[in-house]
Amino acid sequence: MAEMKSQAAGDEIVRDRAEAKWSDLWTKEDYWAIWIAFLLIIAGLIIFLPRPPKDMNEKIAKANATMEAEAKKAPFKTIEWYRASDTKEGIRAASEPYGQTLSSWFKTPGRWENNPIESLVLSKEQADAASAAAKERHEKAKKKLDEALAAATAAQNAAAAAGFKDEKLNEEAQNKIAAWREARRSESSARGRANTKPYNIIPTLIGLCIAIGLLFSIGIKVMGKPVGKFLVGFPFVFLFAVLAFIGAQQNTMHYYGFGDPLWAVLLGLLVSNTIGTPKWVMPAVQTEYYIKTGLVLLGAEILFSKIVQIGIPGIFVAWVVTPIVLIVTYIFGQTVVKMPSKTLNITISADMSVCGVSAAIATAAACRAKKEELTLAVGLSLVFTAVMMVTMPIFIKAVDMHPVLGGAWIGGTIDSTGAVVAAGAVLGEKGLYTAATIKMIQNVLIGVTAFGVAVYWCAKVDCIPGEKVSAMEIWHRFPKFVLGFLAASILFSILYEALTRDVGTAMLENGVIRGFTRPLREWFFCLAFASIGLATDFRELAHYFKGGKPVILYVCGQSFNLILTLLMAWIMFFKVFPEITAAI
Amino acid sequence: MKDQNASGALGPGKASRRPEKPSAGCGARYLRLLLGLVGIWLFMFHLIPALDDLPGIKTVIDRNKEFGIKATALFYSDIEETIDATNYMRNQIRYRPAL
């Protein structure tokens, strides 16, 4: 976009006027983010779609037939119903041999306790020792699972013997089946640890570094930037991304939710503000390029059918409350808190009301927030997410709140999905699934939020007060990567429905997305956060924090969010649609 | 008023200063780096683990350990449990026991 300076409304105000040119298609990183992301998306579709798991359609049809028959047989979900559901869930393109080979190339560092090297290399002796240490726990979990299954089978048989007419026996069977499901999840996790395999991911990390570096260098070259210097600095940025993943995989950090964005920024800041980021690294510090490419890939993960997953109550809790909280918090930030920056205000408001770090990234990129503002919003989100992850289930348990209400409350308010699942798990299966589902519905709002913020900024913020901005001017200023983001979302949402949802889940969600585009998106975001850390002056960051206004905004907005979400969830799940709550 | 298009917002540009090497001596700079690393070590291995046994927190963390929950997941597609949730809710609606 070429800028043309124009005088407007008095001599002091000088505004850049944007213009779109055909050459923007190959000279601007917004477009290069789209080209690279779509190249990867097309590659993913070509790899996965022609290679479905063996007998996929037959297995899905059989599982559905079993669930249908079982649903007619008993007034609750039987053991056979769940088994059929599990069989269907296990049909995943990403679990096919080619999918596993592919995922091994995108592998991030593994979990560790005291020795970070184990994150990269685990010898056979170490793997055997880890398996042996976990064996006892697995044996116990397996025994508990067998007992739970036997108890569930006995209770279900007793209910069946009474023709499923005895409410007490039906309830007993439901409780025993729920306990079996819980034991199954616990055993599955213990089994994984008891089967620890040796690995060495250093060669694949080197390969991935070269591949990602070359991929981004195409755009760098065409945009006329120094490609050689980019390739020289890139391994350093990649190294910081690897270190960030290692930090996030330390067991304690992993369970508390301190993820790779935190470590990428923190480690980058530490180096850039002490010994200084080497000058030769700076050409590879391409925050916007990485973040926009990651965001277009993220678009593929936003499937619109998720919105209706739990019916109208879910739409109200996630799609009515969230925009209200976002807009009210932003207005509150401007008028009451008097935030020094509109972009910081909207980034914090979106991160707090929508879904944490991912929403902050999308919104910050859409309104062109400064990297310090994004860092601050992400930091706030991570800290409050950890606090809410722990305190909300304690409170919900203490007041004996219904798990569906508690789950909806958690899903609508805690920022990141991982923390939502962790908090929801304390409430049992119903609470967990309600929380996770509400969060997924809210995740879909990212696209709408990014688009809305981008349009609002072009039309109302980046202009002279009172000026009417033409549609063409909005188009010129509009961050084009947002269009790629929306296009990816629409493409995958249509494909998902066209394949039918069961096949779409197996081939797209558990194939192209989780097996290909999502791991790459994770790497691109981590590279972006490492770049932010490596290019940020800590004093600049402190400047944005002055007066604690960001914290005040977050706390006030989140308090409003907590009240409104709880109220809406109670009205929807207990007053307007109690039958949906009963069915969950 | 400046159009932020020109500011190179998230990347190095006018809006965000590139860090310069601090003016302190070489030894002092490495000392600061070392202190930072010690801070991280304290946070990771002492400060946060000290919270583990606090009532309430223990319940959540133990659950995370028992079920292997990835609490660091940012988006729904980063975590396995959302597959279970999707499956559960969809099957629940399509094959809801109705007796």
Side-chain angles (χ1 to χ4, degrees):
Chain A
M1 236 173 277
E3 279 93 30
M4 195 173 78
K5 298 231 167 166
S6 72
Q7 297 291 111
D11 286 337
E12 290 105 16
I13 302 167
V14 179
R15 185 168 65 79
D16 293 335
R17 192 172 292 281
E19 261 180 37
K21 292 187 296 190
W22 282 107
S23 60
D24 290 350
L25 292 171
W26 59 89
T27 57
K28 297 292 173 190
E29 64 192 5
D30 268 44
Y31 285 107
W32 271 103
I34 297 174
W35 309 145
I36 290 177
F38 267 84
L39 179 74
L40 294 170
I41 286 170
I42 291 165
L45 290 170
I46 290 171
I47 293 167
F48 281 89
L49 288 191
R51 298 173 182 83
K54 198 171 173 247
D55 302 329
M56 176 180 70
N57 291 323
E58 291 77 7
K59 284 178 185 170
I60 289 173
K62 195 179 165 195
N64 286 343
T66 304
M67 280 189 282
E68 196 169 2
E70 290 296 313
K72 285 176 186 162
K73 193 171 91 180
F76 55 84
K77 283 166 282 182
T78 62
I79 295 168
E80 292 74 22
W81 189 100
Y82 275 113
R83 281 191 167 143
S85 172
D86 293 340
T87 303
K88 197 163 77 169
E89 196 181 310
I91 305 167
R92 302 172 184 198
S95 300
E96 294 294 292
Y98 71 90
Q100 288 181 352
T101 306
L102 205 56
S103 75
S104 69
W105 279 94
F106 303 136
K107 215 164 188 171
T108 53
R111 298 269 293 283
W112 59 282
E113 181 70 51
N114 297 309
N115 178 8
I117 302 298
E118 286 177 12
S119 196
L120 302 171
V121 182
L122 195 72
S123 66
K124 189 170 182 319
E125 292 73 30
Q126 287 170 313
D128 290 346
S131 295
K135 202 175 176 187
E136 193 187 340
R137 207 191 118 205
H138 178 230
E139 292 297 328
K140 273 188 193 166
K142 197 168 177 302
K143 193 167 170 252
K144 205 174 156 190
L145 174 66
D146 292 341
E147 287 168 1
L149 179 59
T153 308
Q156 184 177 302
N157 289 343
F164 296 111
K165 302 283 184 217
D166 187 326
E167 278 189 24
K168 209 174 165 189
L169 288 175
N170 288 347
E171 199 184 326
E172 176 72 5
Q174 270 181 286
N175 291 338
K176 295 288 182 197
I177 290 172
W180 163 61
R181 300 297 296 170
E182 192 104 326
R184 189 179 162 277
R185 290 182 57 226
S186 180
E187 191 273 340
S188 167
S189 165
R191 190 180 347 122
R193 273 177 227 162
N195 288 308
T196 307
K197 301 267 184 274
Y199 54 78
N200 177 3
I201 65 164
I202 293 173
T204 55
L205 285 177
I206 294 170
L208 192 65
C209 174
I210 294 169
I212 295 178
L214 289 175
L215 186 68
F216 280 112
S217 71
I218 301 169
I220 293 281
K221 168 89 179 154
V222 180
M223 283 188 282
K225 294 179 184 175
V227 71
K229 287 180 179 174
F230 170 81
L231 285 171
V232 168
F234 185 77
F236 191 87
V237 182
F238 189 86
L239 174 69
F240 270 72
V242 172
L243 292 173
F245 280 124
I246 293 175
Q249 291 288 32
Q250 198 275 337
N251 277 339
T252 309
M253 300 298 104
H254 182 87
Y255 293 129
Y256 277 87
F258 296 117
D260 55 274
L262 171 81
W263 295 105
V265 172
L266 201 65
L267 294 171
L269 274 176
L270 186 60
V271 167
S272 63
N273 289 274
T274 54
I275 55 174
T277 305
K279 275 186 180 167
W280 53 268
V281 173
M282 295 315 285
V285 174
Q286 298 285 339
T287 309
E288 283 190 81
Y289 193 20
Y290 304 138
I291 233 168
K292 288 171 182 172
T293 312
L295 278 168
V296 179
L297 284 183
L298 182 72
E301 297 166 42
I302 295 171
L303 304 171
F304 280 92
S305 63
K306 298 271 178 203
I307 300 168
V308 291
Q309 206 152 274
I310 204 171
I312 297 169
I315 296 172
F316 268 84
V317 173
W319 275 60
V320 174
V321 172
T322 307
I324 292 173
V325 174
L326 171 62
I327 293 165
V328 169
T329 307
Y330 176 72
I331 294 169
F332 180 79
Q334 287 306 117
T335 55
V336 181
V337 182
K338 303 214 182 295
M339 291 290 288
S341 153
K342 285 182 179 178
T343 44
L344 176 61
N345 186 358
I346 195 70
T347 307
I348 292 176
S349 300
D351 130 353
M352 177 276 300
S353 59
V354 185
C355 51
V357 176
S358 38
I361 296 171
T363 310
C367 71
R368 299 185 171 98
K370 291 165 191 160
K371 64 185 186 312
E372 290 83 3
E373 296 174 334
L374 175 59
T375 305
L376 203 55
V378 166
L380 278 175
S381 174
L382 290 172
V383 170
F384 281 97
T385 296
V387 172
M388 288 171 73
M389 177 183 84
V390 170
T391 52
M392 283 191 77
I394 296 172
F395 178 79
I396 289 166
K397 282 282 200 188
V399 299
D400 201 21
M401 194 183 285
H402 191 285
V404 171
L405 180 60
W409 196 30
I410 284 172
T413 53
I414 295 182
D415 290 349
S416 74
T417 312
V420 163
V421 168
V426 180
L427 312 181
E429 195 171 62
K430 283 183 186 182
L432 165 61
Y433 291 158
T434 308
T437 306
I438 294 287
K439 194 72 222 166
M440 276 190 274
I441 300 171
Q442 213 179 41
N443 279 175
V444 181
L445 256 178
I446 284 189
V448 180
T449 306
F451 182 78
V453 167
V455 171
Y456 181 74
W457 241 251
C458 293
K460 298 283 179 192
V461 180
D462 286 344
C463 59
I464 298 156
E467 181 198 25
K468 189 165 169 30
V469 182
S470 68
M472 212 52 205
E473 183 66 16
I474 292 174
W475 164 250
H476 290 327
R477 293 182 192 178
F478 193 81
K480 305 298 185 298
F481 81 92
V482 175
L483 298 177
F485 178 69
L486 293 176
S489 175
I490 292 166
L491 171 70
F492 271 64
S493 296
I494 291 171
L495 267 177
Y496 191 74
E497 292 301 313
L499 289 170
T500 74
R501 287 186 188 174
D502 287 334
V503 175
T505 303
M507 297 303 299
L508 285 183
E509 198 176 348
N510 295 326
V512 185
I513 295 172
R514 292 192 191 238
F516 193 73
T517 59
R518 198 268 301 160
L520 284 167
R521 183 262 295 162
E522 210 172 10
W523 274 106
F524 296 168
F525 279 174
C526 198
L527 286 168
F529 280 110
S531 298
I532 287 175
L534 288 168
T536 299
D537 186 336
F538 195 75
R539 288 163 296 183
E540 189 83 4
L541 197 60
H543 163 75
Y544 285 96
F545 204 71
K546 220 172 179 180
K549 286 186 177 182
V551 181
I552 296 168
L553 179 72
Y554 191 100
V555 170
C556 293
Q558 191 60 276
S559 304
F560 178 56
N561 193 17
L562 283 164
I563 295 165
L564 200 60
T565 304
L566 182 61
L567 182 67
M568 183 65 87
W570 177 72
I571 292 171
M572 285 293 132
F573 283 103
F574 287 88
K575 294 292 159 191
V576 186
F577 299 100
E579 71 281 0
I580 290 182
T581 309
I584 294 169
Chain B
M1 184 173 291
K2 272 271 177 202
D3 176 1
Q4 290 192 3
N5 274 354
S7 70
L10 284 169
K14 275 187 267 180
S16 50
R17 281 188 294 149
R18 199 173 107 172
E20 292 155 16
K21 285 196 177 181
S23 52
C26 186
R29 284 191 269 128
Y30 278 94
L31 184 66
R32 278 188 213 154
L33 176 67
L34 189 67
L35 284 173
L37 291 172
V38 170
I40 288 174
W41 176 75
L42 285 171
F43 177 79
M44 194 178 263
F45 296 105
H46 294 277
L47 181 67
I48 299 298
L51 304 174
D52 269 6
D53 292 327
L54 293 177
I57 292 182
K58 188 172 165 50
T59 314
V60 179
I61 300 304
D62 283 354
R63 276 277 155 143
N64 287 357
K65 286 178 184 171
E66 186 184 353
F67 296 142
I69 293 170
K70 186 184 174 188
T72 52
L74 299 180
F75 205 66
Y76 84 85
S77 47
D78 296 334
I79 191 164
E80 193 72 5
E81 282 77 3
T82 53
I83 298 177
D84 302 342
T86 301
N87 209 30
Y88 180 92
M89 291 298 177
R90 180 182 303 153
N91 293 333
Q92 180 60 44
I93 290 167
R94 278 167 66 184
Y95 308 109
R96 181 187 298 178
L99 276 179

